[in-house]
Amino acid sequence: MRSKLPDAASSRKMAASSAVVAILASIWLCSSIAADASGSSSETTMHTNNWAVLVCTSRFWFNYRHMANTLSLYRTVKRLGIPDERIILMLADDMACNSRNKYPAQVFNNENHWLNLYGDNVEVDYRGYEVTVENFLRVLTGRHESAVPRSKRLLSDEGSHILLYMTGHGGDEFLKFQDSEELQSHDLADAVKQMKEKHRFKELLIMVDTCQAATLFNQLHSPGVLAIASSMKGENSYSHHLDSDVGVSVVDRFTFYTLAFFERLNMYDNASLSRLFNSYDPNLLMSNAYYRTDLYQPNLQEVPVTNFFGSVMETVHTDSAYRAFPQKNTPRETRIRTGNTAEDDSRRSILTDMTKAECPFTRIVSSLESKMETVGNLDSLVNYGLVMILPVLVVSVWLST
Amino acid sequence: MPTANTEEENSKSELQKNHGGGGGFTRWAVVAVIFRLALIYFPGNLNLSSRPEVSTPLTSIRRLAEGYWLKQSSMSPYAGSMYHGSPLLLSVLGPLTVKSLVFVLADLISSILIRATGRKLQIAYRKSLKSLNLLNKSTDSGALSSGDIAALVYLWNPFTIVACVGLSTSPVENLFTILTLYGAATGLAPLAAFGWVMATHLSLYPAILIIPVILLLGYGPDAPPSKLFRSKEHGKVGDGKSSQEIIFSWRRVFHLLVWTSLWSVYVLVLCSISVKQHGSLQEMFQRTYGFILTVEDLSPNIGVLWYFFAEVFDFFRDFFLIVFHSNILFMILPLAIRLKHRPCFLAFVYIAISSMLKSYPSVGDSALYLGLLGLFLDELADMQFSFFLFCGYVGVSLLSPVMHNLWIWRGTGNANFYYATAMAYACFQIVLVVESVSSMLNHDRKLTKLSTSKLQK
């Protein structure tokens, strides 16, 4: 009896320890798999669509230039291919139909008045007093009330590239909304983190044109986020020029030079983001444009600007119509096939040896099918069959009388 | 049986007296063909092939052209849900640039076959009347026999002309149905089998004609009820006349079944070769028969299904599909029991019911049964409401395009206007079927009364 107890105890201990080891191993395995999954998900999801959220946060007539900034970027983004359904345009005030506007229903970003930004098809999603910090954060995180229409929602998914452009008055780690409330850098970082958790973007480019804009990014930690600001801490962002006809400054420097870069592009150019970021001259901007790439994996020199500012999709041309999924593996298949023809022949001979063992009916059917394939034109066979109907019919009728 | 032979010769000679009628038929047939050709080559655009009354998703020539183009572009002709017909029809009609002449030819052959069927029916009618001693000079018809009248009605029916000029495939379907009836009436089992297999292959509904075809081959053409002959047999004692006992010929029915299976295997093999490259036989069945049975396309037509299935909830859709299709199926057995001694008329009633209740009816289907109605003019002479029905048909065929125009093109009407004319059309068809069946049964009762009164004399 005594000898049994230690054995039982030791066996129980061994069982317990092996169970603990097994549990730990499974936990480690699961966590590694989960980490792999989450880590590789952003690399394996495809970039499927582009969104743009363009926010102008200032009211009042003398902030005309912020409106013009946002509308210029709206026009650029639309020109390069993003449709209105995937643009959320938030304008805090109405400059085009402002009673102080000498040119009603027209907004210019240059004193030569060459371009009317408020053209025929501007779709403003949030206007006037709807541009609040709460609505902005609701748009980013997607937590709306049920009555909010789809046109006011950011309906992005895990394959989306989002451009977030904000302009207005800002300062050290804040951005002023409507002259009455602030968006802080914590709020923005929280919203971006929520977006990442909910898989609402694959890559996010935040572009901010305010004073001391770079401080707004201080709290950002989510991967896949690229941020560029017009000025660093302690610097102001300046307007570009004053339009004496309209009476106010019409564009900010940072946005002006951004637009100058984009006006030279069309949809098919593959100018890279590094070219854009390096195009900002501190002397011309009168501030240092700062960009933050530590959260962004891909090399900036390989990322085309149209990944964020336009909507250029890769189309796969197939000859087969009306089929749901194109054959993605065909190039690889053909390569493999051309490589191993000798092995294929030997394999085929083995298969033909095997078919001799099948039942005679399937053998007949398969031999008929192979003969039909060698006939070449099946249509002529069908026509021959159709023509044969008539004599067969005549003969059968004659036989039955 | 020398007496039987002389009877047949007498009836044949009587019919040959109407040979002037034969010349009349030929003349009118030629004029009908010329009229169709004139309408086809009319310089203006009659736009008949886009009318909903003429072209349904099953019979439209544009869909056939689309299916042919898809086949030429190395795709399955059923891709994209445009073409829902037979692949053999694609091989025949697709390459032709003068498709219209095919339809004119189909109409002409159909009319010739109707005439021949009518002749056979009239011979049988006279023979049966003579055997009952009811034949007298008054039963001699006028200048044209019922077969000629039926054939001319078929040729000159505005519905047929519109279906032919509008290039719908109904004339071809009608040709095969009439070929079935002709083959069955003349006792040629292979011909009847071929016609039945092709008609079922092209449009599903002629499948129910297997019953009248079996009855035609078994019992022979239409005759008064068999009890009349048996009572006559009992009445005349010691008479040397042979009994006209109608026995069911199982041999012919067996031939029919054998030839049906042969032809259907042949057609299936041809179809499978035709669709092998880019599709499968199962896809063909799904897109042709499945399309007919599930009523996928709800564009307006002169039938009564589209409006209903546009409104029914998805939960009940299958149930109502079964209800609508069994509406045709439930009528098969009672009619077969009641009219088994008149299989040709039974076929007419089946065709009329299926033309009314099928998924995608068109005027070509109505043309078929209106033409076959003419075959029974002798029996249906006392049909009630004939003028009412004639006016009703004329009124509906004039109002229906007007309502369609009001709804679709002008926008001042709505679907109810058009569906009201469709329902009125269905009502008139129902009245026609009911009245024709009742007058046929009245005719049989009259014959019974006359023969029993003659027996009692």
Side-chain angles (χ1 to χ4, degrees):
Chain A
M1 292 278 277
R2 253 203 186 175
S3 60
K4 264 192 197 168
L5 274 173
D7 287 337
S10 63
S11 65
R12 259 200 304 238
K13 259 192 226 164
M14 270 176 58
S17 59
S18 58
V20 165
V21 165
I23 288 170
L24 283 175
S26 60
I27 289 174
W28 173 81
L29 207 61
C30 290
S31 61
S32 66
I33 289 174
D36 273 340
S38 62
S40 59
S41 63
S42 57
E43 285 125 38
T44 53
T45 52
M46 257 177 48
H47 165 213
T48 46
N49 51 47
N50 281 13
W51 282 82
V53 181
L54 310 171
V55 186
C56 162
T57 58
S58 322
R59 301 187 65 75
F60 308 128
W61 173 245
F62 50 81
N63 292 320
Y64 184 103
R65 61 188 185 282
H66 298 144
M67 190 76 47
N69 288 349
T70 318
L71 283 173
S72 317
L73 221 66
Y74 173 77
R75 179 188 167 267
T76 303
V77 146
K78 258 179 87 159
R79 189 174 64 88
L80 293 176
I82 302 186
D84 271 316
E85 298 102 54
R86 294 206 284 271
I87 302 178
I88 308 252
L89 181 59
M90 303 171 81
L91 298 179
D93 200 356
D94 183 6
M95 301 305 172
C97 301
N98 196 312
S99 45
R100 293 164 81 161
N101 193 355
K102 190 173 161 199
Y103 298 92
Q106 285 164 315
V107 175
F108 304 113
N109 66 350
N110 201 313
E111 63 176 346
N112 57 21
H113 293 188
W114 175 70
L115 192 59
N116 171 22
L117 298 170
Y118 212 77
D120 285 334
N121 53 355
V122 169
E123 268 188 33
V124 182
D125 297 300
Y126 287 84
R127 64 194 64 205
Y129 287 111
E130 290 171 356
V131 181
T132 58
V133 173
E134 178 194 349
N135 278 350
F136 173 68
L137 292 176
R138 280 187 188 276
V139 163
L140 282 188
T141 53
R143 295 165 67 163
H144 295 279
E145 294 180 5
S146 52
V148 171
R150 281 175 71 89
S151 60
K152 282 184 162 172
R153 295 182 190 229
L154 179 65
L155 299 166
S156 54
D157 52 25
E158 67 263 8
S160 305
H161 286 187
I162 304 184
L163 166 71
L164 174 60
Y165 175 81
M166 300 187 346
T167 178
H169 290 291
D172 193 0
E173 302 215 12
F174 72 90
L175 199 149
K176 192 163 74 157
F177 265 70
Q178 301 263 14
D179 210 27
S180 63
E181 51 181 3
E182 293 171 354
L183 173 79
Q184 298 204 328
S185 54
H186 315 273
D187 301 325
L188 184 63
D190 277 346
V192 170
K193 189 168 172 199
Q194 275 195 44
M195 284 173 82
K196 193 69 196 173
E197 286 295 315
K198 291 165 83 166
H199 300 293
R200 280 167 71 76
F201 66 91
K202 183 168 184 275
E203 290 172 16
L204 175 65
L205 171 62
I206 309 181
M207 188 183 248
V208 181
D209 187 357
T210 69
C211 305
Q212 305 187 50
T215 55
L216 205 61
F217 308 140
N218 281 348
Q219 314 291 336
L220 280 178
H221 290 300
S222 314
V225 176
L226 187 58
I228 178 162
S230 59
S231 52
M232 301 189 63
K233 179 174 164 115
E235 294 174 353
N236 291 333
S237 295
Y238 295 99
S239 64
H240 189 259
H241 61 268
L242 169 78
D243 183 350
S244 44
D245 208 5
V246 175
V248 284
S249 307
V250 287
V251 72
D252 277 335
R253 286 182 181 259
F254 179 72
T255 309
F256 181 84
Y257 289 111
T258 311
L259 291 176
F261 179 85
F262 278 108
E263 285 298 313
R264 293 194 296 269
L265 293 185
N266 61 20
M267 264 199 295
Y268 305 107
D269 285 331
N270 50 4
S272 64
L273 274 180
S274 68
R275 239 183 73 191
L276 169 68
F277 292 169
N278 294 333
S279 69
Y280 298 119
D281 183 1
N283 296 327
L284 291 175
L285 282 182
M286 292 162 62
S287 60
N288 287 306
Y290 164 75
Y291 60 93
R292 185 180 169 176
T293 54
D294 56 329
L295 299 167
Y296 190 70
Q297 248 89 345
N299 187 354
L300 282 183
Q301 284 177 333
E302 291 160 14
V303 179
V305 288
T306 49
N307 264 15
F308 292 99
F309 288 89
S311 182
V312 180
M313 292 288 118
E314 181 201 339
T315 54
V316 177
H317 175 82
T318 56
D319 278 331
S320 62
Y322 302 114
R323 263 183 222 144
F325 301 104
Q327 300 292 332
K328 278 198 155 190
N329 300 328
T330 33
R332 251 196 292 137
E333 272 181 9
T334 49
R335 263 187 271 131
I336 290 174
R337 220 180 290 140
T338 50
N340 303 344
T341 40
E343 291 177 17
D344 284 341
D345 285 339
S346 57
R347 245 185 282 138
R348 232 178 278 133
S349 61
I350 296 172
L351 284 172
T352 49
D353 285 324
M354 277 166 53
T355 53
K356 283 190 187 138
E358 290 173 4
C359 80
F361 177 68
T362 49
R363 237 194 305 141
I364 292 171
V365 167
S366 55
S367 65
L368 273 174
E369 281 183 346
S370 58
K371 210 181 288 181
M372 272 197 292
E373 270 162 33
T374 57
V375 161
N377 201 356
L378 290 177
D379 288 332
S380 61
L381 190 65
V382 172
N383 292 340
Y384 184 66
L386 285 171
V387 164
M388 280 294 291
I389 285 180
L390 206 55
V392 171
L393 191 63
V394 166
V395 165
S396 61
V397 165
W398 176 76
L399 279 177
S400 67
T401 48
Chain B
M1 317 289 167
T3 46
N5 278 352
T6 49
E7 276 174 10
E8 282 219 20
E9 282 167 9
N10 284 344
S11 52
K12 275 208 183 114
S13 63
E14 274 167 2
L15 274 180
Q16 274 162 6
K17 273 184 224 160
N18 301 333
H19 196 62
F25 168 74
T26 324
R27 251 182 288 133
W28 280 110
V30 166
V31 173
V33 166
I34 293 174
F35 182 59
R36 277 171 169 76
L37 289 176
L39 278 181
I40 287 170
Y41 292 111
F42 190 65
N45 192 8
L46 287 172
N47 233 346
L48 280 174
S49 51
S50 54
R51 292 215 62 87
E53 294 92 4
V54 173
S55 73
T56 65
L58 299 173
T59 60
S60 170
I61 196 74
R62 294 196 185 156
R63 287 175 181 252
L64 192 140
E66 168 86 11
Y68 182 67
W69 181 85
L70 282 172
K71 205 167 109 164
Q72 295 301 101
S73 322
S74 318
M75 281 191 272
S76 160
Y78 300 109
S81 180
M82 272 299 270
Y83 182 61
H84 294 284
S86 151
L88 303 182
L89 207 60
L90 271 186
S91 312
V92 172
L93 285 181
L96 294 179
T97 50
V98 277
K99 301 189 218 312
S100 41
L101 296 183
V102 170
F103 299 124
V104 174
L105 195 65
D107 269 350
L108 189 62
I109 298 177
S110 308
S111 66
I112 294 172
L113 289 173
I114 290 181
R115 183 166 177 245
T117 315
R119 190 172 279 194
K120 274 279 176 325
L121 285 177
Q122 199 158 39
I123 292 175
Y125 181 58
R126 283 171 182 284
K127 199 165 71 167
S128 58
L129 281 187
K130 195 161 260 186
S131 72
L132 292 174
N133 283 334
L134 292 174
L135 192 64
N136 48 10
K137 281 299 166 200
S138 64
T139 54
D140 199 354
S141 57
L144 292 172
S145 65
S146 63
D148 288 354
I149 295 176
L152 285 179
V153 162
Y154 182 77
L155 269 185
W156 280 98
N157 195 350
F159 288 169
T160 333
I161 296 179
V162 156
C164 177
V165 172
L167 299 180
S168 80
T169 57
S170 320
V172 178
E173 296 171 11
N174 294 351
L175 168 65
F176 284 117
T177 314
I178 293 171
L179 187 68
T180 314
L181 290 181
Y182 171 72
T186 47
L188 297 169
L191 199 63
F194 173 68
W196 183 81
V197 163
M198 287 307 294
T200 310
H201 176 67
L202 287 179
S203 65
L204 178 59
Y205 291 91
I208 58 178
L209 290 178
I210 189 70
I211 294 175
V213 162
I214 287 178
L215 289 174
L216 263 175
L217 282 176
Y219 284 126
D222 290 8
S226 49
K227 63 182 181 197
L228 287 185
F229 298 106
R230 272 180 268 136
S231 64
K232 189 186 160 318
E233 171 65 19
H234 285 294
K236 294 217 162 177
V237 177
D239 200 295
K241 266 211 176 123
S242 61
S243 67
Q244 301 279 339
E245 272 287 335
I246 301 172
I247 41 171
F248 194 78
S249 155
W250 287 104
R251 194 177 57 93
R252 277 194 196 170
V253 172
F254 175 70
H255 280 312
L256 172 79
L257 292 176
V258 163
W259 278 106
T260 312
S261 44
L262 280 177
W263 282 119
S264 45
V265 162
Y266 190 75
V267 164
L268 279 179
V269 163
L270 275 186
C271 284
S272 62
I273 298 176
S274 180
V275 298
K276 204 177 85 73
Q277 269 177 319
H278 310 292
S280 63
L281 208 59
Q282 194 230 350
E283 185 204 11
M284 185 196 95
F285 280 127
Q286 193 187 345
R287 292 303 186 107
T288 54
Y289 291 168
F291 178 76
I292 295 175
L293 290 176
T294 56
V295 190
E296 282 171 9
D297 187 295
L298 295 178
S299 44
N301 49 48
I302 58 174
V304 292
L305 268 82
W306 56 276
Y307 190 92
F308 188 84
F309 281 102
E311 293 184 337
V312 74
F313 292 125
D314 274 341
F315 183 77
F316 297 106
R317 196 188 156 87
D318 291 334
F319 169 68
F320 280 110
L321 277 175
I322 297 176
V323 165
F324 271 85
H325 288 300
S326 51
N327 207 358
I328 304 178
L329 293 175
F330 282 162
M331 293 206 219
I332 293 180
L333 191 59
L335 282 169
I337 294 174
R338 192 67 182 86
L339 290 172
K340 66 178 185 301
H341 55 282
R342 293 190 178 274
C344 216
F345 184 70
L346 182 66
F348 158 73
V349 176
Y350 280 176
I351 291 172
I353 290 173
S354 66
S355 308
M356 179 176 27
L357 297 172
K358 67 195 311 195
S359 329
Y360 304 101
S362 70
V363 290
D365 305 317
S366 312
L368 177 60
Y369 73 77
L370 286 175
L372 291 178
L373 180 65
L375 286 175
F376 310 103
L377 278 183
D378 293 329
E379 293 96 337
L380 296 180
D382 292 329
M383 193 166 93
Q384 277 182 317
F385 306 134
S386 48
F387 183 65
F388 168 71
L389 284 174
F390 175 72
C391 294
Y393 267 82
V394 169
V396 166
S397 38
L398 289 176
L399 267 183
S400 177
V402 169
M403 295 303 171
H404 188 257
N405 186 306
L406 274 185
W407 172 30
I408 303 272
W409 297 111
R410 290 171 195 266
T412 53
N414 55 38
N416 299 325
F417 288 36
Y418 188 62
Y419 193 61
T421 57
M423 283 202 292
Y425 187 54
C427 282
F428 285 122
Q429 287 174 306
I430 291 171
V431 170
L432 175 71
V433 167
V434 167
E435 284 307 315
S436 59
V437 170
S438 70
S439 65
M440 182 62 83
L441 296 176
N442 280 339
H443 179 81
D444 282 340
R445 279 190 212 111
K446 202 173 64 172
L447 282 181
T448 318
K449 214 185 293 181
L450 280 176
S451 84
T452 50
S453 68
K454 278 222 165 143
L455 280 175
Q456 281 161 4
K457 273 187 193 162

